[in-house]
Structure formats: C-alpha cells, structure tokens
Amino acid sequence: MSINAFGHLFRVTTWGESHGDAIGATIDGCPSNISLDAEDLQVWLDKRKPGTSKYTTQRRENDEVEILSGVFDGKTTGTPIQLLIKNVDQRSKDYSDIKEKFRPGHADITYYLKYGNRDYRGGGRSSARETAARVAAGGVARAALKMLLPDLKITGYMLQMGKHRIDRDSIDLGVIEKNPFWAPSQSGAKKFASYLDELRKSGNSVGAIIEITASGVPAGLGAPIYAKLDTDIAAGMMSINAVKGVEIGEGMSAAMLTGSANADEIILGNYGLEYKTNNAGGILGGISNGADIVCRFAVKPTSSILTSRQTITKSGDSTEIVTKGRHDPCVGIRAVPVGEAMLACILLDHFLLHRGQQGKNHGSIG
Amino acid sequence: MSINAFGHLFRVTTWGESHGDAIGATIDGCPSNISLDAEDLQVWLDKRKPGTSKYTTQRRENDEVEILSGVFDGKTTGTPIQLLIKNVDQRSKDYSDIKEKFRPGHADITYYLKYGNRDYRGGGRSSARETAARVAAGGVARAALKMLLPDLKITGYMLQMGKHRIDRDSIDLGVIEKNPFWAPSQSGAKKFASYLDELRKSGNSVGAIIEITASGVPAGLGAPIYAKLDTDIAAGMMSINAVKGVEIGEGMSAAMLTGSANADEIILGNYGLEYKTNNAGGILGGISNGADIVCRFAVKPTSSILTSRQTITKSGDSTEIVTKGRHDPCVGIRAVPVGEAMLACILLDHFLLHRGQQGKNHGSIG
Amino acid sequence: MSINAFGHLFRVTTWGESHGDAIGATIDGCPSNISLDAEDLQVWLDKRKPGTSKYTTQRRENDEVEILSGVFDGKTTGTPIQLLIKNVDQRSKDYSDIKEKFRPGHADITYYLKYGNRDYRGGGRSSARETAARVAAGGVARAALKMLLPDLKITGYMLQMGKHRIDRDSIDLGVIEKNPFWAPSQSGAKKFASYLDELRKSGNSVGAIIEITASGVPAGLGAPIYAKLDTDIAAGMMSINAVKGVEIGEGMSAAMLTGSANADEIILGNYGLEYKTNNAGGILGGISNGADIVCRFAVKPTSSILTSRQTITKSGDSTEIVTKGRHDPCVGIRAVPVGEAMLACILLDHFLLHRGQQGKNHGSIG
Amino acid sequence: MSINAFGHLFRVTTWGESHGDAIGATIDGCPSNISLDAEDLQVWLDKRKPGTSKYTTQRRENDEVEILSGVFDGKTTGTPIQLLIKNVDQRSKDYSDIKEKFRPGHADITYYLKYGNRDYRGGGRSSARETAARVAAGGVARAALKMLLPDLKITGYMLQMGKHRIDRDSIDLGVIEKNPFWAPSQSGAKKFASYLDELRKSGNSVGAIIEITASGVPAGLGAPIYAKLDTDIAAGMMSINAVKGVEIGEGMSAAMLTGSANADEIILGNYGLEYKTNNAGGILGGISNGADIVCRFAVKPTSSILTSRQTITKSGDSTEIVTKGRHDPCVGIRAVPVGEAMLACILLDHFLLHRGQQGKNHGSIG
C-alpha cells in the first residue's frame, strides 16, 4: 500500500528531492549474511552518474552512497538497510525564472494541482535524480542475487533512440560498455551520437527504447494473475520517471502474430528444457519458464528544453517557456542502469516470494 | 502483498478455475451507500460472455452473477462484497488427450513446474474465464464511480487485429457496439471479420491491440514514483491473461518523438485547463492532468490452436500437440470489456486514495 | 492494506454477514500440494458450531463448508481457495423490534455512524458468526502446517469465566474436550457451568479469558520491530469480535516482575536449547525462541442481553432496550476454536515469511 | 507486507541500530501543506531522550532530528519524509565481554538464530533506541492531526510500576509533566521513586504499565474485522520493544464483567452522543464511538541487568552473565512518549483511511 515503495518481501522505499539535502532508499526484507559494502553499490551508481559524457546533464554529482544501517562487519544483518546519497551540486538558481510557469510535458502542473506546492528548484521527486536511489537499491539486490542465484546475469542496453533502432541481428553485447549510450552496436552508437549532437545543439531532446534481459532465471518465479512476474516488471518499469510503455517478449508486436507463429515450441536440449523461440520473453501465465527474461520500455524525451513552448502561469495567464537549467538531451541513456536495477530488485523479490510460498519448484520433467 | 489481489483501498481478489465449480471476486473497501444489484453487474458480464458470435469460443456460459455479501436493501454496506459466478458448461473431456503434453505458448508448463500439479481440464487460473470475475468487480467500481465521479466515461475498443490497424482519423466511437469486435470503425470491423474468418478456418489464432480511454477524470489522481496512476494501469493491464505490452499516451512511440513534439502545450480554455495535444495520455509524473486517460495493451494470440506444434510430455518425451477444445480465435475481442473493468477499478481506487491522503486537490490555477 | 484481510504470504479475507446468504473466506498464498478436502475443515467448524450445548446460542447452523476453488484432485493447487458456508437458520424477525434502537456495548451504533446503514437483522459483520470463516481458514492453515511443521501442536482452552479463574497448577489438558467450555480442569468446568446457568437464567452474559498455546514452534519465526510474531498475534486476536485485551507470556503481569525474575534462564537440555521458565511466552524481540508460544485474550460479555439498558434511537430519542434473539451467554466459549484458528494462520504465515526471507535459520549453537 | 513498517496510508518505516551511525524513519503518505520543521519533532524527542534523570540510562544522546526530504518552505510536500537522528554516544566497548553469551530475556538469541549474526554492540534493532524514530514519526503525525483534527488530545502516563498501581480515583493529569515518571499522581510518583531507587542500587530492573488516552476522536474511525482500530492499536503497541500485553478499555478485566455491567449506556448530552461509562475504551466493533480512546500496555523489565543469570554461549557452553553497559532500570518510563507517538500515527492513519473510503460519516442521529 505504501505509495513510494515497491516489492513484496524485498521492499524498497525511495525518498528525497532533486534539490533537497539528500536522496536515498530504505530497503526492508533483505536476507541476512549477504556480503555488502558501499563499494558494491558505487560501481552501479557510477554507471548512472550524470556528467560523464556530453550526452548527459552537466550537473556534477559524485553520487557517493553511504550505508547507514542494516550492515554489520561487512554483511547484511537482515534488518532495514538505509542508503543515503547527498546532493552536492543542486544549482537551484537556474530554475528561478520558471517558478510561476508550468513546463509542458512535465509533472510540474500535476504536482502543483494535487499537492498545492511546487518545488520549483528542479522537479522534486519527478526528477531523474530519484533514480539514483533505485540504482543503489538494485546494487543491494544484485549482491543478494549473487549468492542466491549465481547464474543470473542482467544486461541492459539502448535499442532505439528517436527513429534509429538497432537491428536485432547486429546486436553485439560486447560493445555495450564501450560507448556512452550503452548501445549494443558500434555503428548504432555512432548514429546515436551524430543524431544527438544535432538535437542537443538545437536545444531539443529525444526519447529512447531500452531493453533489459536476464539469463539464468530459474523457472517458477511469479504467480498467476495479479502479482505475475510480468505484472511486477510492467509496474516497476512504468514507475521509472518518463517511461510511457512496457513490453515483455514480443510486446506490442504480439498483436501481429498468429497463434502458430507465437507459440514457442518446447524441446529437451542438452541442459534441459528449451524453447525454439522466445516470443514469450521468458514468462508464461505470469511465471518464468526458464528462458531469458526480455523486457523493453520507452522513455519519453526530456520536457525541460531550450525550445520555446506555449504554457500558462499559476495565475492562469498564457505565456511562453524555455527551460535553461542542465538537462539530459536523452534521459534514456541513464535509464539503462535504472532498468537493470529495477529488474534485479524484482527478480530477487520474486525469488524470495517463491521460496516463501513453495520452498522450491514442485514439478519436474522427465 | 496478496498475490491474487489488486488495488489499495478498493481491493479486488479473484478466485476460481476455468473448470471448477465457480469463479468469483471478493471486493474489500467499497464505499457504503452505493446503489447496487446483480443487474448492474450483469450488463457488463453480458458484453464479455463467450458464445455471442462465431468469433468467440463456443463454450456456453450464462455468467450469471450472485452478490453474496456486502449489499443490503439495494445498497453497499461498506463491508466485503462477494461475487459468485457458477461454471455451467465446463466440458472437460475435451482436454483429456492433452493431459500429459504441454501447450507451447501456454501457462501449462510454468504452472506445472512451480506448483507440481496440473489442472488439465482447461488452464485453471490461466484461462480467460478468470476475467469474468474482473468484469463483475469492474461493475461494482462503475456503480461507485457513477456517484463519486458522475462525469467519468470509460470507453474501450479494438484498435488492431493482426496487422490490420484502424487509422486514428477514421475512429468513430458510435459504431463500437454495432460490430462483434468492439471496433471503432465499420470498415475496420469488416476487415477484422474476413481476416478472422480465414484464420479460424485454418485452425489458427491471432493477437490484437485494445485501447481504453477515460474522459472526465479529475486532475490529481495518482502519486509520484511507485504507485503512480500509470504504474497501476500498467500493472492492471499486464495482469490480464495474454497481455504482453502496455502503453500510456504515445507509449512505445514516445521514443521517436523530440522534446518539442512531445510536450503537450497548456492553455486555459472555456472550461479550464486544456492541452493542445495529449501525448501524455492524461498522466504526468504519475498523476492525472485532467486530459483523457489513454492506454493500450497488446493481447497475444490464443495458444490453444488446431495447428500442430512441437512440444514435450511430462515424462520428457518429444511429441506434437493439437488443441481441440473450444477456444477464441482472437481472445483480444473479449479483452475489451476486461480492460474497461480494470480501468474502472484503478480509477476508483485512486480516487479513494487521493481523497484519503489529500481530501481534495490543494492547488488551483488562476 | 486490505481492510478485511490478515496475513502476509498466507492471506485470508473473510466476507459475509450474519443474516445474509452465506459467509466465507478467500485464502491466497497457500502452498501447493497440501492434501485438503472439506472434511479436514469440517472437524474444526464442528467445534465452533452454535447450538451444541445449552451454553451457546440456540441458532442452528450446520456450518457445512464447501471448497469452491484452489483444490484439485484432493490437493491444493497453489491458487486462491474459496470457502463458502451457507447461512441456514437466519431467523431475522427476532431483530425487528430493535431496528431503530442501538444496543449499548454493541457495534450497531458505530457501523451506523460510519456507513449510514444498518443491517438490523443481526449485527452483520460484527456478529460472532463471522468467526466461522476464520475457523475454516484455520483448518486450511492446519493442513499445511501438518506437512510443513509436523511437530507443531496448537491447544486452546478457557482459563477464566467471570471471576472464576482456573489455577495454573490444576490445568489438565486431557479434559479440554470433555466439557462444553473447553476448560482444562473438570472442577473448573463445573464452576463455569453453575455460574453460567445462573447468569443465563437472569438474562445476563459474562466475559472470559482464553489461552492458546503452541508447542513445536521452531525458533526464528518473526521479525524485529513491526511484523514481530507477537505483533501479529496481538493483531490477530484483537481482530476477533469482542476481544478487549491480548497477552503474550506473562502479559500484563510482566509489569510486576523484576528483571531477574523475568529473565528466562537458558540451558542446553537433552533436546537442545531450553529455558528454565517461559515468561516470554516463546517470543523474544518479536522472534520465536523455540519455547511454547503462550498467548491469552479476554472476550467481553455479549451485549445482546435480556436485561433492560438505557439507549437512544436513530432519531435521537431516549429509550430502553432488551435484546431477545438467540445469543451466547458467554461468547468466549466458542472463541476457543477461533483463537486456535488464528494462531494456526499466523504461524503458517510466519513460517512462509521466514522461509522466504531467510530460507532457513542462519545461526546455530554449539 | 513491509516487515519494518506500520500504517496503511500514513506509513512509517523505521531503520537503524542502537550502535550504528544513525537511526531514522521514512514516512510515506503524509498529506501536503502541513506546517512542519525540525523543532516540531524535537519537543517530543526531548521527552523520550535518555539521560534526563537518574531513572533512565546514562547514555547521552541529543537525539537531534534532521528532516532530509518531503518538506519545502516549512510545509510538507506530500512526498516521503526522511527523518535522521545521528547516534553520538554509542560506547560499544561496554558490550565486548558479552559478545559470546546470550542475555536471558533478551532478543540476542533469537536474532542470532534467525539471522546468523549478532550486533553485540548493543541489541541492534531490539534496543529501546529504535523508539526514538517512532517518536519523531509521531511528531509528524501530530503536526498533521493539529490541522485535520484540532480537538484531538493524546495523553500518556505511567499507571503502574512493579506492584505499585496508581488508583484510578487519584489520577491528576496536571502533574504528569512534573515528575520523571510521567505519573499522573504526585504520591504515586514518590512511591515509584523510592521503589526504583532501591531496585537500581541492587542492579535489578522492573516492568510497568502505561496508559494512553485520546480525547476528541470523531466516531467512525476504523473498520469491521481485520483492520479494526483496536487491532491496529494492539499491533502498534505490541510492536514496541518489551511490550507483552495490550488492553483496550476494560481490557483483560472485561472477562470479569457481566453483560449488563459492561454495556456502556447511551444518552444524548448537551454536545451530542454520550456514554454513561467507557468500558469499551472508545471502540465498538473496531470503530471509534466518539468516547475517549483508552489503551494500556505492559512493558517487561529490562533484561540487561547487573544481577547474575544462567545462560549459554554461542558454542553451547553453560555460563553466567552480568550485563554492565548503561541501561534503564525501568524502560517503561521512556515508553510513555513512545506510546503517545504510536497512537498519534494510528489515529492519523485511520482518519485518512476513513476519509478515503467514506469521505465522511454517512450516518447521523436525530
């Protein structure tokens, strides 16, 4: 029921505003005796950190995470883990001229209407800054998964920026870390670069599609109907700021398939159960089937842009707005580690839930 | 935490299997003094009911709903409402020859692996039959919304079947009820009909995209970050059997927009706040902005088909499978009233949540 | 968050009114492959059933339970279990003369104020009848516990009626089933009988204290702080109609102990960890310590009595009230199986939670 | 489901260990536009603060609270509020000699068994130090209640220490703040003082009973059955460290009353609905009736005492233990502000829940 939390047994509540003193995450339900120190989290935060290339916001945040509780002598204690990241470079004066105006496409206006206040310094909770806390929490989940599901591997990348989509046949996971877009293709990365350079110079921004996959997921995670594994993935990804669509496996394109084309045929391979295709994205009836989990989400373009747009003021007057500040021309880039973190949290949570209800899988083949 | 429930304050738990004695829904948290009788629910169930045209399963179910609790003298009492729908035509012998085989693309295999049992009579909880309980629950939500938000109007339709997508410019909501596909276009409905006739005869099935909209939704529903209104819509729609993707507003296509094209400019019209476009689908930062809520979901093709597919048996032998039974060639058709019901439940729940936390909107314009 | 449900992983929602068509319980999260049929539940319902002696209400209800879902071929499937108990003998005319008056000490008035309606037929949800659904749910929990924790044994009895308290030294668990009060002492039962005969004849009622114990509970169930095992026991017992106090171990008397008298000294006995005393009632810091769980709760006297009491009507007029109907002179008697059922549900839930988060205990001694 | 959180709409998660860097509380769901600064919280923390008299632990903690998020320009924003209290005087060397031994009556042993680790520095989460975070959270609840229910007044006091119980007729609320025990009687306070002096000198400790009342609570808060107002009070109070029993109104003594003595007769007084007595403690059927809420809880004696007790070591050897450190001889004293804080949180939560489901009361009298 908690409005700012996600997860069932591994439960994460994030807190903090873009321009407040600090942001962080409270994690409840992490198993005990997981090796964990701040360094284990920092590596993931460094991936998401702003200011690492000219393609992300120039705000400089070290995103140094402190573990305030729940870890003793280098191991989790089983009690709540508090993660704190101080805000360092909250240059809020940049926002003063938009204090009375609402940014089109931004949560300014809905926050104001609902809550009657406005943290004009920079989006408050609706800022992409909030996602740092998720990445830190995802680091805790990964530490636990390393012990509980050592074969699990989560990989995220940018599949599409604007109209430029990387062809599935040219995907090379080996190059993801070698370009500033987490693109799984060097030629794709080059196209993204020249396209974004142009947009950035014209004071505009653009959307993107991120794909996150997980291999080594055991069959049996999830549950029928309401807390299906895919339901929780959909909720988790859609809860990331700026996400407007979520797909599992074939996703929206499943509409175009016939039943015979869609059904992933089943075989027994050398290592057990296998599927000839993976249209299902690793999930059938809300429960993992042992194939790779494949999900995608679309991130809309940043709404804080230098292009002038028509809007109104709090007093109801018509006006124009240009947002200066420091913003990501494609916030989708930094969404890659965020999506990975969310999937890590969700898979750990479902592993614990499954272990709770069932202990282990009750069915076997052969 | 409840694995078979959804909603925060208006909470629905469905129960029952496709071929058991009955299915139903337990609703907790409905406000008191809402006028309600079984007839109010039956009208929606009749929309979803199988066997109404040659394009849906020929299973004959009256789907008569009984209200067992929570209503007294024609009004809700504020206590749990139990809805019961008896299964009448569960012809389970049709399934006997697939008892040992797993249907590719079906939840058979994941249920078996997780739970160690198999309700081979017809998919158990993973059957589309489960959605009747959601439609009944949606009827209760609509009765409450009629009193609490009388201007709210929810409309669902089939936007795409296979590769046939209805052009947005030719949408005519007036014809939705006049064709068996809930298509918002007569010419579209004709294309769907001839396409599906062909598929049905060849023993195949196909997917679809359903769009659900809601007008008259007040600004302010939802919350930042985790129980965003769009998060709950994503979860609710993805929880429907066979759904593989969910979109809000521009959805996956948001990736293709620039910031200037995406930002819905804001004006004050004759009736207050207006947006020149609605790429946001009525939601910004997880909170409704007063524009129409627009969401879509893709339904994969039915996996129980007459086309032969390769699979394995419980004992691990390779085999072929053909599913006879009675199945929907396009289960997306009956998903229209289901999607409407889910949106009704979610909007009522968020109305109650908003009233709980905030009482009313705290901000105003002008 | 669900207002009519309890439990985390093993989650029970009850529904139904005293004088409606039926009552029941929806159970979510029960592990699969638990042997279960209606007979397993009936044995517990028969214990609670009204009309079995002159000391309980003369309403005749068979309390026959039907399992509508979640069980296939005699085993739980892992999906929601719906239990239904039809109301048979709801003689509602008995209540017609109290339709406009509020019973002092009864929930009539608070339900009316909150919900604006009144199910004058007999207390609706506030009737002791609701507890039949809990007993049925407890039967499901017991079936699961039989497989998961075969050494667990839950025993409930009436420790006190009015001022008559059974001396702890004279407790004989062997006689509990041999008297209509579930008293653990034949002489105690006799005192209860003559005392209650007198009260019953004078049209009065009386309260009671019930003690529930569980042996064979493994150490490690529960969690620090908010969902402590004792927190959930306190909530579960207090949620039973008419309960006004809950104690664990020494309970309220813990206030009278010094630290040295209270601390249960620890030894290693023949079968492992032992405590020389059990003031803690088997729980330390919210987590079971391996000793017997001991809890007690006080049930207030039935407020529907033949003794005339001053009250008001809905229109605000002062009046007198006498409640005829058929009521328990000591509702505490039938609370014994209810308390046992609650403890069974809570212990199963915490076993599943513990298994989910920790897998198994991480610490060992020696 | 969150194991370290309480509340439905106003949800509090506390975190932090007695001897870690800091402790705190994450609050989700607080309404916006509540005036709030750190000073509003400090006043309550100062009441609970250790080291204020010789009757509490001599650990020196300023308990200075920082608000890290959720407040902007002196008002709550409606988003999560993070409260942080640094630990200053965590003299952990005091504990080094008990590192391998378990304290009888302490959560040492259950934490160790469950989690496999031991924060021997001082009880970790099971320390009374955790309650500072609750008191801070209670301060936020009080700030909200001040605006939403201005007539509400919460009062806590120590009713009993050891065998010394303050007679109900001699209660004088005016003296509570004038003695170090929060006793509602000067003569009572004197008895407590001399009794505790003696115990303290002999290296022993003692339990206590705390009573918390709330006046000005509107009728209608709560819900039937599972999240009854009394259920949540029972859970909330039992979740405080060292609490072993909880009572509402007559509590355990309700067992001794007859129906005619128990039923609080109803009248219409000058200011509306009144009850001639308040055996119900302001709650009927789980819903507030407009009378004062009255609850009590028993706190067991501190288990860290100077008196030698028999115990075992981690390696299973029999030994004796004496706990030096700095401990409260009667931890019940500092439990008074904690109980008040819990009741404030629970009442605010139920006010929001009631407003959410019902908007306002639907029934009226006269």
Side-chain angles (χ1 to χ4, degrees), chain A residues 2-4 26 28 32 115, chain D residues 2-4 26 28 32-33 115:
Chain A
S2 189
I3 294 174
N4 287 278
T26 310
D28 185 23
S32 73
Y115 296 116
Chain D
S2 189
I3 294 174
N4 287 278
T26 311
D28 184 24
S32 73
N33 288 322
Y115 296 117

Side-chain angles (χ1 to χ4, degrees), chain A residues 285-306:
Chain A
I287 299 171
S288 61
N289 67 2
D292 287 1
I293 303 290
V294 180
C295 65
R296 278 176 305 286
F297 56 89
V299 181
K300 71 177 184 184
T302 317
S303 48
S304 300
I305 49 176
L306 284 163

Side-chain angles (χ1 to χ4, degrees), chain B residues 1-4 8-9 11 13-17 21-22 26 28 32-33 67-70 72-73 76-80 82 84 115-121 125, chain C residues 1-4 8-9 11 13-17 21-22 26 28 32-33 67-70 72-73 76-80 82 84 115-121 125:
Chain B
M1 176 56 245
S2 189
I3 294 173
N4 288 278
H8 305 270
L9 285 180
R11 193 156 178 82
T13 308
T14 71
W15 54 270
E17 286 89 32
D21 293 329
T26 311
D28 185 23
S32 73
N33 289 321
I67 302 177
L68 294 186
S69 68
F72 182 57
D73 277 354
T76 58
T77 60
T79 63
Q82 181 60 245
L84 181 120
Y115 297 116
N117 54 48
R118 184 164 168 204
D119 186 346
Y120 47 80
R121 299 170 302 175
R125 292 286 290 160
Chain C
M1 174 59 244
S2 190
I3 294 174
N4 287 279
H8 306 269
L9 285 180
R11 192 156 178 82
T13 308
T14 71
W15 54 271
E17 286 89 32
D21 292 329
T26 311
D28 184 24
S32 73
N33 289 321
I67 301 176
L68 294 186
S69 68
F72 182 58
D73 277 354
T76 58
T77 61
T79 63
Q82 181 59 246
L84 181 120
Y115 297 117
N117 54 49
R118 184 162 168 207
D119 186 345
Y120 47 79
R121 298 169 302 174
R125 293 286 290 161

Side-chain angles (χ1 to χ4, degrees), chain A residues 265-344:
Chain A
E265 293 186 305
I266 310 173
I267 53 176
L268 270 190
N270 291 333
Y271 306 102
L273 195 61
E274 280 180 28
Y275 304 87
K276 287 166 102 173
T277 48
N278 189 13
N279 295 316
I283 303 174
L284 288 169
I287 299 171
S288 61
N289 67 2
D292 287 1
I293 303 290
V294 180
C295 65
R296 278 176 305 286
F297 56 89
V299 181
K300 71 177 184 184
T302 317
S303 48
S304 300
I305 49 176
L306 284 163
T307 313
S308 174
R309 304 297 293 156
Q310 188 180 348
T311 189
I312 57 172
T313 65
K314 272 158 86 171
S315 39
D317 298 319
S318 200
T319 183
E320 297 274 321
I321 190 167
V322 164
T323 311
K324 284 162 188 162
R326 297 157 297 168
H327 298 285
D328 288 272
C330 178
V331 76
I333 300 172
R334 290 162 59 212
V336 173
V338 180
E340 291 178 345
M342 293 306 289
L343 193 57

Side-chain angles (χ1 to χ4, degrees), chain C residues 92-337:
Chain C
S92 54
K93 67 179 171 326
D94 289 343
Y95 295 89
S96 50
D97 58 337
I98 58 160
K99 196 172 162 178
E100 298 300 316
K101 299 176 181 180
F102 300 107
R103 279 170 282 183
H106 194 279
D108 277 351
I109 194 162
T110 52
Y111 274 50
Y112 171 70
L113 290 171
K114 183 180 185 96
Y115 297 117
N117 54 49
R118 184 162 168 207
D119 186 345
Y120 47 79
R121 298 169 302 174
R125 293 286 290 161
S126 71
S127 164
R129 181 131 192 79
E130 182 270 345
T131 59
R134 299 181 189 228
V135 171
V140 176
R142 287 190 200 243
L145 286 166
K146 203 168 158 184
M147 286 188 61
L148 296 166
L149 291 177
D151 293 336
L152 182 81
K153 189 169 160 49
I154 293 172
T155 310
Y157 39 85
M158 182 179 280
L159 194 67
Q160 182 173 344
M161 179 192 285
K163 291 186 183 173
H164 302 281
R165 186 169 185 124
I166 290 169
D167 190 68
R168 198 155 287 278
D169 295 334
S170 70
I171 285 183
D172 173 6
L173 301 181
V175 304
I176 294 174
E177 310 268 342
K178 295 178 181 155
N179 65 76
F181 305 102
W182 317 105
S185 150
Q186 283 298 36
S187 62
K190 272 183 201 158
K191 266 185 222 154
F192 292 174
S194 58
Y195 177 61
L196 199 57
D197 271 332
E198 205 178 308
L199 272 169
R200 200 167 49 85
K201 283 171 195 157
S202 71
N204 214 335
S205 62
V206 74
I209 292 179
I210 310 303
E211 185 163 277
I212 314 281
T213 67
S215 61
V217 178
L221 305 192
I225 310 305
Y226 297 111
K228 292 173 160 184
L229 182 54
D230 37 5
T231 296
D232 280 2
I233 292 174
M237 299 308 173
M238 192 67 96
S239 79
I240 302 171
N241 290 318
V243 171
K244 299 301 282 183
V246 182
E247 302 186 308
I248 308 287
E250 275 298 295
M252 298 306 290
S253 305
M256 293 195 276
L257 294 178
T258 60
S260 55
N262 177 65
D264 302 312
E265 293 186 305
I266 310 174
I267 53 176
L268 271 190
N270 290 335
Y271 305 101
L273 196 60
E274 280 180 29
Y275 304 86
K276 286 165 100 173
T277 48
N278 190 14
N279 295 316
I283 303 174
L284 288 169
I287 300 171
S288 61
N289 68 2
D292 288 2
I293 303 289
V294 180
C295 65
R296 278 177 304 286
F297 56 89
V299 182
K300 70 177 184 183
T302 317
S303 49
S304 299
I305 49 177
L306 285 163
T307 313
S308 174
R309 305 296 294 154
Q310 187 180 347
T311 190
I312 58 171
T313 64
K314 272 159 86 170
S315 38
D317 298 320
S318 201
T319 183
E320 297 274 321
I321 190 166
V322 164
T323 312
K324 284 162 189 160
R326 299 156 297 169
H327 297 284
D328 288 272
C330 178
V331 76
I333 300 172
R334 290 163 60 211
V336 173

Side-chain angles (χ1 to χ4, degrees), chain B residues 242-261:
Chain B
V243 171
K244 298 302 281 184
V246 182
E247 302 185 307
I248 308 287
E250 275 297 295
M252 297 307 289
S253 305
M256 293 195 276
L257 294 178
T258 60
S260 54

